[in-house]
Amino acid sequence: MKIIDAAHVFFDYVRRDENDNIEEVSHALSDLSLSIEKGSFVCVLGHNGSGKSTFAKLLNGLNIPREGTVLVAGMDTRQEDKLLQIRETAGMVFQNPDNQIIANVVEEDVGFGPENIGVPTEEIWRRVEASLSAVGMLAYRLKSPNRLSGGQKQRVAIAGVMAMKPACIVLDEPTAMLDPNGRKDVMRTVHELNRREGITIVHITHYMEEAVEADRIIVMDQGRPVMDGTPREIFSRVEELKALSLCVPQVTELAYELRKAGMPISQGILTREELVKELCPLLRASGHEGNTYAKRTR
Amino acid sequence: MLRDITIGQYYPVDSVIHRLDPRVKLAGTMVFLISLFVTSKLPAYLLATGVLFGLIRLSRVPFRFITKGLKAIMILLVISVSFNLFLTTGTPIFRIGFLQITWEGISLAVFMGVRLIYLVLASSLMTLTTTPNQLTDGLEKGLGFLNRFSVPVHEIAMMMSIALRFIPILIEETDKIMKAQTARGADFESGNLIQKAKAMVPLLVPLFLSAFRRAADLAMAMEARCYHGGAGRTKMKPLHYEKRDKNAYLLMAVYFALMAASRFLPF
């Protein structure tokens, strides 16, 4: 079942001068068509200005397409009377954790969304507790967001979306401002929500390591998807990615270079374990003692 | 120096004061502030002092947190106290040039100083024991009757609470910008008051820029979380008066009556 279905979407940013005359039009999205299956974990990659953030904001009616339609769980984002329902279905987490937390106490912030959609008081409390424990932040419920680390703040923001019981969460570079530990925490949380609660995740990022763990990767360039497939498929096409000024995970790059240098290594290596498995027989065949390395890493 | 403003910094402990209905605390703060200005009798001020410090003890907020707010009004305090001290006519004690210190001046200056200090202490106590959201809720419900005169009470309350939430963030940002500019040779420390004020001007542009950017981000985040004004909104923490709130109102009335009555004391 499709939760998101975008067909032939065009979206422009129009800059106007003081007299409301059009000064400049940039086509952020042009003829974008894609759909996302319910329960999947999708990563959207692309360099700056490729339209990935614009795409994210289409999914909950923050951006309305100039042409084409975006259906979220069957609802057209153009229908204004459905807008609240759409935003309830597709929650959104933004890049800067400070700029999306409204309240001064963690639990009050998580309750903000349910309050807006008119959930009864007792049910709000239940949801706040459930979503805070789902992201592992229940112990911090009475703390001030200013006293949390970036990763913790971002998990609170995720809990705030969870409390609206969304079917889909769109994350717009949620890890861009975090340190490596915070990044790991947020990614673990998002994966758990996907696995345990079956929530569809649309994760926009430019960290390739995060994309490796997705079910599907969409690479965007100049306002439309140019590559679409599983991580293994996408990361086998190293040359194409590089042409789009994107990099590949370190291990993949190493495997690719070795392969180019003539070593018989299969395409689309994604993890260190896979590379080890490929390399050991080669080393043994060439007479080197490859076992010690293999033992140590396992 | 910029971190000293405590307004909008909730201090999370559990106390009677924390648990009071925000409407009670708002009304109480107002009553306390007004009571300081209805009288200038010494016994009344002793009572006010006793009440204020008693409440601070009850709130379990460390005293140094409450006095932090004072540093921010230090200049105002010095100016208003010295104006009262030097420019009040009456029985002179001594004079230096055209400045003279009078008995009336001293007493006025002391009262003015005490009033200002208590004013800040009382409002700091309120903001330290009430989360901005509770404060907003209190204002929204307490002033809800203004809706009939088409005053956008909910919107104003929401704006206030967001402003409070962003004060510490913007302060941190100012600090960061200051450090970045200091690193490139800007000087905020030396010079007289005017030079220091001038040095602050280049801070404003980046600060405002980032504040606007934050505002746009926040508006989008709020929209994404289905915010659409006060209509059809439920409350996670709805307000209803408990017994302790009614008692608090009663005590407030008694206190105010005593303060007002002190006007009729013969000394």
Side-chain angles (χ1 to χ4, degrees), chain B residues 37-68:
Chain B
F37 287 89
V38 295
T39 177
S40 51
K41 294 283 169 32
L42 193 61
Y45 273 78
L46 289 179
L47 174 66
T49 312
V51 167
L52 181 62
F53 286 87
L55 289 175
I56 292 173
R57 270 306 283 277
L58 270 180
S59 74
R60 294 175 54 205
V61 178
F63 195 64
R64 65 192 166 85
F65 269 89
I66 292 175
T67 51
K68 263 185 189 170

Side-chain angles (χ1 to χ4, degrees), chain A residues 222-238:
Chain A
Q222 295 184 348
R224 63 163 72 89
V226 287
M227 292 163 84
D228 190 339
T230 63
R232 202 172 298 280
E233 285 162 19
I234 298 292
F235 288 128
S236 325
R237 296 150 74 179
V238 179

Side-chain angles (χ1 to χ4, degrees), chain A residues 17-84:
Chain A
D17 62 10
E18 293 96 47
N19 305 323
D20 232 24
N21 299 317
I22 294 172
E23 228 175 34
E24 195 186 319
V25 178
S26 54
H27 304 289
L29 298 177
S30 47
D31 200 15
L32 171 137
S33 297
L34 57 85
S35 55
I36 290 169
E37 288 296 312
K38 204 171 175 187
S40 58
F41 193 115
V42 180
C43 255
V44 181
L45 300 175
H47 59 83
N48 290 339
S50 60
K52 51 193 199 310
S53 275
T54 312
F55 168 68
K57 284 173 199 146
L58 280 178
L59 303 184
N60 59 359
L62 286 173
N63 284 348
I64 305 292
R66 170 168 64 86
E67 254 176 67
T69 51
V70 179
L71 298 181
V72 178
M75 296 174 282
D76 191 337
T77 57
R78 243 184 257 272
Q79 288 172 283
E80 264 182 44
D81 53 320
K82 289 270 173 66
L83 210 55
L84 288 184

Side-chain angles (χ1 to χ4, degrees), chain A residues 99 101 108-109 116 119, chain B residues 133 165 214 225 233-234 236:
Chain A
N99 295 357
I101 292 180
E108 286 182 15
D109 185 72
N116 287 335
V119 176
Chain B
N133 260 26
R165 145 113 180 98
R214 277 179 196 283
R225 286 167 79 182
R233 218 165 170 263
T234 45
M236 181 182 180

